Amino acid sequence: MITQDKIKYAEELSNSISYLENLGYSNIKADLKGYETPKSYHKKGSDVDVTPDIVAEKEGRKHIFDLSLKSEKPRLLKSKWLFLKTLSQLKSYRFRLITMRGHYKFTNETVDAINLETVKLLKI
């Protein structure tokens, strides 16, 4: 999710973290009060910072999670996902999208638009 939606979807982010903890993920970092903030990446020549919603570890491998929820700025969301996908490929991380009921259609349309069919979706 993009920065403008963080306050709007804080409860969904909290639910996602609980879900990941139940799946056995550890060392969870999230852009939420009470958790360590994941590393941000700054785009040169602009004021855009990209921060993954959740970063966690499981079985010694780092996983990057981003919430896929309806957004007013889908273009910014698409560029964030493409960057995180590329970053995860370069560093041998796993990139996953977390979506929730009521947001499946938006997620599928957005993923199809940018050819990210290889990204796994976690449906909560």
Side-chain angles (χ1 to χ4, degrees):
M1 95 183 108
I2 57 175
T3 308
Q4 292 89 337
D5 295 335
K6 293 249 186 244
I7 297 169
K8 183 177 173 183
Y9 292 124
E11 185 178 332
E12 285 82 351
L13 182 59
S14 178
N15 292 340
S16 299
I17 293 169
S18 299
Y19 180 76
L20 293 175
E21 286 173 343
N22 290 337
L23 286 178
Y25 287 91
S26 62
N27 196 16
I28 296 176
K29 296 177 185 177
D31 202 8
L32 187 67
K33 187 178 178 183
Y35 289 92
E36 186 179 338
T37 305
K39 182 178 179 181
S40 293
Y41 301 91
H42 182 75
K43 182 179 178 183
K44 271 190 174 180
S46 71
D47 59 346
V48 176
D49 286 326
V50 176
T51 306
D53 291 334
I54 304 169
V55 175
E57 289 182 14
K58 186 175 183 180
E59 299 172 356
R61 186 167 289 237
K62 197 177 250 188
H63 296 257
I64 297 175
F65 297 95
D66 205 60
L67 289 181
S68 175
L69 304 169
K70 292 177 186 171
S71 175
E72 298 294 322
K73 297 187 177 182
R75 187 171 182 207
L76 188 59
L77 189 62
K78 290 175 189 177
S79 63
K80 178 181 179 183
W81 290 353
L82 287 171
F83 171 75
L84 291 175
K85 173 69 175 166
T86 304
L87 176 72
S88 62
Q89 287 176 332
L90 288 173
K91 299 203 174 209
S92 298
Y93 298 162
R94 298 286 187 250
F95 177 58
R96 307 278 189 263
L97 292 174
I98 299 173
T99 188
M100 298 181 180
R101 189 171 182 207
H103 301 274
Y104 295 157
K105 183 179 178 188
F106 171 79
T107 301
N108 289 330
E109 288 174 353
T110 308
V111 165
D112 289 342
I114 55 176
N115 297 324
L116 280 183
E117 288 85 16
T118 59
V119 173
K120 268 192 165 178
L121 292 177
L122 291 176
K123 295 181 179 179
I124 299 177

